[in-house]
Every structure is written in structure tokens, then in C-alpha cells.
Amino acid sequence: MKSFELKTFLLKTLFLRTVLPAAFLTLAVLASFMPLGCKSSVEGLSMLEGDFSCPRAEDFFVTGEESFLVRFNKSVSCKEAFFWRAESGEQTNLVASSQDEGKSLVFTSPVPMQTGAEYTFSGIVQDGAGNTLTITVPFYGYNGRVPRIALSEVHVANSKTAKNNWKAEYAELLVLTDGNLSGLELVCTGSYSSKKEDAGIYKFPPVEVKAGEYITVHLCRNESYSGMNDDEEDNLLLSKSPDSSSLALDLWANNESSVTKASDAIVVQNSADSSILDAVLFVAESSSGKRTEWKTGTKEWLGAIEASGVWQQSDGSASASEESAFCGSWTKSATTKSICRKNTKALLEAVRQDKDALLKNGKGSWAVASPTPGYANGI
């Protein structure tokens, strides 16, 4: 048989034995679902019903030296849970208990966690329909000695291009009670983004501090300088760059560019429970009276700031609005001006008498003055 005829024969055989029977079978199956008339019918069809959405973790809080809480969008049960310490990799199994009809799970460790140590939590939860969720969350060991702390000065100017006279942005804080800084965060809300939550956020190291001490967080680095080192609690001479002080704890963020805005809100919060410890709201105004608007990130924080009560109007009521913000004349290049808190000694005295005292803080508590990083303000 010729090659062409052989190919034709094989194709016919393949068509008759495979393709044609498959076509008849397909038509038969389709016919069993087709209505006899022109109207469609769902009779005989069975639709799957139920919840096919996976659980979602909404909040994670470290609640104690041996416990933390995770909130979910629906009721769940725990299949397995453990955590490990980054330094050693040692794994510890956890016991889970349910709250809020299963929408919250409390995880308990048989051993206490070390303050400020880095850990990672991992767990698998399941809802009533069998849908599962695997969670992995890095966190720091519980800090049961969070100090009361107050913002005392903000310097938004940045002369990074002036190599011989560099003045960078910083935030100065006054420690009001003894404690540990682990878990605290400084948030420059003008650079904050809900899509990139670390933007504009400085995380404090687990350092012991005492009442009356000053902390300067340098918010921008300059590659032209050396000595941009974090001080340690027993050595305040490690930071040697401009605006460092031998009498204060100097800490350095990793930012290579500016993070504060001329109009901004600076916030100190406890990341363990998202509570706001202090804040300052300010708006820059030109000589002609034109104000620089807040960025979107700042506007996103206003509700939480007002709810915390740390910023008040003159009558003492909580507020977080442009009208209640401190307004003054400064720019991002005005290195000789800082936004300074008045009479910080009164804050120390108020907390000494009552550690839970509500501190007066509003636009009347601040003024424009000369920069004094690491030292008491001269106002």
C-alpha cells in the first residue's frame, strides 16, 4: 500500500473508532439536559450550597507574657498552633481557647516570652464548613513595663544637601515613667500608607529608660556622615552625628529620605494593642496665610487620635482637626526652627503625682522655638 493510501486508511480508522463515537456520546449527554420545548428548565439540577469562604484573621494582640489573642471574621476552631523564637528557633506548642462565640482565639504558652525578643506565631484554624486558614505572624515578646512618654519636640527641616551644615529631621521625646521601649512605635502619619504599613513608622528597640530622660529619634540618615549609631542604655556616646547628645538616648531610623511633612501629625503608639500614647498635630502656614494641607496618611489617623483623647481643644475635649492643630510658620528647609512643647517639667510633675493623669496637650501647648535635640526646651 502506498504511503498516501496508508495515511488515509489510518485516518479513517481513527475517525470511525474514536472521534465519531465520542461525538455521539457527547450529543447523547447534552440531549438528556435539553428541554423538550423552548423554555429552559432547572428541574433535575442540584446546586451546591454552603459557605466556601476561608476564615480571615483581622487582629493580632500580644496580651501578656504567656498569651496573645487573634480575632477572626467568623467563628473558628484551632487545629494546631505554636510559636518559635527567631534567635534560637526553639518551637513551643500553644493551647487555644475560644472567646466571642469562636470569633476570637486566645493562645497560651506554657513558658513566658522575653520582653522585646523576636518571635513568630504559626497556626491553622478551621471554620464550621471545613474551610481552613494558615496564619504566620511575627511579633515581639510582651512588654509589661510600657513607660509613659511624651513628645517634646519635632524638627521637620532637612538640609541633607548642605554637607557642611547638615540638620536633619527628628522627634524628641521625654520619658515620664520608668519602663521599656519594646513594642512602641513612632508614626510620621504624613508618610503612612495603609497599603504599606511600615512606611513612616519607626519601631523602638527594647531599651530600658528612666523618668526624666530624653530620647531623640533621628528620622533621616545622610551617607556623607559617619557616627549614625544607636546609643545603648548604658552608653550614650555611640551616636556622633549632628544633633546627637551625650545626655540623651539617640536612636536612628533607616530612612535615606525625608519622612516628615511640613504639615503632619506625629504619633506614639503601643503596637501590642494599638493604643496611642501621645501625638502632636501641626499645620504649616506661609506669611501670606496659605496653609499646607495634610497628606492622606495623616487624615487616615485623625479618627484614632481623637478617640485616644491625647490631643485636646482649649476646653479639654478631644479633637483631631485642622482647626485644633498647632499652626505656625516653618518650612522643610527652615533648620533654625523646631516645633517645641511648652513647660515639659509640668508633665513630669503631673505624672509623678498621678501616673494615669491626663496630660494637657493641644495647640496651646506648643510653640516655634530654636532646636534643642536631647535637651529641655527653653520655653
Side-chain angles (χ1 to χ4, degrees):
M1 186 178 291
K2 295 181 179 180
S3 174
F4 175 77
E5 293 176 347
L6 176 61
K7 289 181 180 179
T8 303
F9 174 76
L10 291 175
L11 287 173
K12 288 182 179 179
T13 303
L14 179 66
F15 179 79
L16 292 172
R17 292 184 178 180
T18 59
V19 177
L20 191 59
F24 279 119
L25 180 62
T26 301
L27 289 173
V29 171
L30 290 175
S32 66
F33 286 99
M34 294 179 65
L36 296 177
C38 294
K39 293 183 180 180
S40 61
S41 171
V42 295
E43 184 178 353
L45 294 180
S46 176
M47 303 299 292
L48 293 175
E49 297 180 355
D51 181 5
F52 302 102
S53 62
C54 290
R56 183 178 68 251
E58 298 186 330
D59 287 305
F60 180 94
F61 297 114
V62 181
T63 55
E65 293 182 347
E66 301 171 358
S67 63
F68 39 89
L69 178 146
V70 185
R71 290 178 180 159
F72 300 88
N73 66 323
K74 59 169 69 174
S75 178
V76 296
S77 59
C78 178
K79 297 188 69 177
E80 68 174 54
F82 57 90
F83 73 88
W84 69 89
R85 185 171 176 175
E87 185 178 279
S88 63
E90 182 180 355
Q91 182 175 307
T92 303
N93 292 324
L94 299 165
V95 176
S97 58
S98 176
Q99 291 184 357
D100 189 25
E101 298 180 343
K103 290 186 177 181
S104 295
L105 293 181
V106 176
F107 296 93
T108 305
S109 167
V111 295
M113 294 171 278
Q114 182 179 331
T115 298
E118 295 183 34
Y119 296 92
T120 299
F121 163 76
S122 182
I124 300 176
V125 298
Q126 178 178 285
D127 65 14
N131 305 306
T132 62
L133 172 70
T134 300
I135 318 165
T136 301
V137 182
F139 67 97
Y140 292 93
Y142 178 74
N143 182 7
R145 299 179 58 253
V146 175
R148 288 210 68 177
I149 199 166
L151 286 157
S152 53
E153 181 182 347
V154 177
H155 188 257
V156 300
N158 191 338
S159 61
K160 190 173 181 179
T161 56
K163 183 176 180 180
N164 297 324
N165 188 29
W166 176 45
K167 295 290 182 181
E169 55 208 275
Y170 61 80
E172 180 195 79
L173 304 100
L174 175 61
V175 181
L176 304 178
T177 63
D178 297 356
N180 192 293
L181 299 178
S182 176
L184 299 190
E185 297 176 338
L186 182 77
V187 186
C188 300
T189 64
S191 293
Y192 176 82
S193 169
S194 57
K195 295 180 180 180
K196 187 180 179 183
E197 294 188 356
D198 284 343
I201 296 181
Y202 171 77
K203 299 179 185 295
F204 286 90
V207 176
E208 288 288 322
V209 292
K210 295 184 179 299
E213 294 179 345
Y214 281 95
I215 304 167
T216 303
V217 180
H218 304 269
L219 295 167
C220 183
R221 293 174 174 266
N222 189 335
E223 64 278 0
S224 299
Y225 285 80
S226 60
M228 292 175 287
N229 308 310
D230 283 352
D231 284 338
E232 297 174 357
E233 55 194 71
D234 57 352
N235 189 349
L236 302 181
L237 301 177
L238 297 176
S239 180
K240 301 182 184 299
S241 284
D243 291 332
S244 299
S245 169
S246 61
L247 301 177
L249 181 70
D250 290 287
L251 302 172
W252 289 85
N254 290 322
N255 307 307
E256 297 291 342
S257 57
S258 176
V259 292
T260 62
K261 309 300 179 184
S263 293
D264 213 329
I266 310 299
V267 171
V268 181
Q269 75 163 353
N270 184 356
S271 63
D273 58 8
S274 298
S275 60
I276 293 178
L277 308 184
D278 200 20
V280 55
L281 286 67
F282 51 89
V283 175
E285 186 176 72
S286 67
S287 57
S288 63
K290 183 179 180 180
R291 295 187 170 189
T292 303
E293 292 187 3
W294 278 328
K295 299 294 184 181
T296 301
T298 297
K299 294 176 181 178
E300 290 180 3
W301 275 83
L302 296 181
I305 295 172
E306 183 166 333
S308 72
V310 299
W311 188 261
Q312 307 110 27
Q313 300 187 86
S314 56
D315 62 0
S317 61
S319 179
S321 64
E322 185 177 329
E323 292 71 26
S324 67
F326 172 63
C327 184
S329 177
W330 58 80
T331 65
K332 287 290 290 180
S333 59
T335 59
T336 59
K337 294 182 178 181
S338 267
I339 303 165
C340 299
R341 198 166 189 162
K342 301 176 184 177
N343 197 12
T344 52
K345 289 183 179 179
L347 304 178
L348 278 167
E349 181 59 24
V351 173
R352 188 186 68 81
Q353 295 184 17
D354 178 6
K355 64 181 181 63
D356 297 318
L358 177 64
L359 302 178
K360 182 179 179 181
N361 188 23
K363 62 182 178 181
S365 304
W366 295 79
V368 177
S370 298
T372 56
Y375 300 91
N377 299 329
I379 55 175

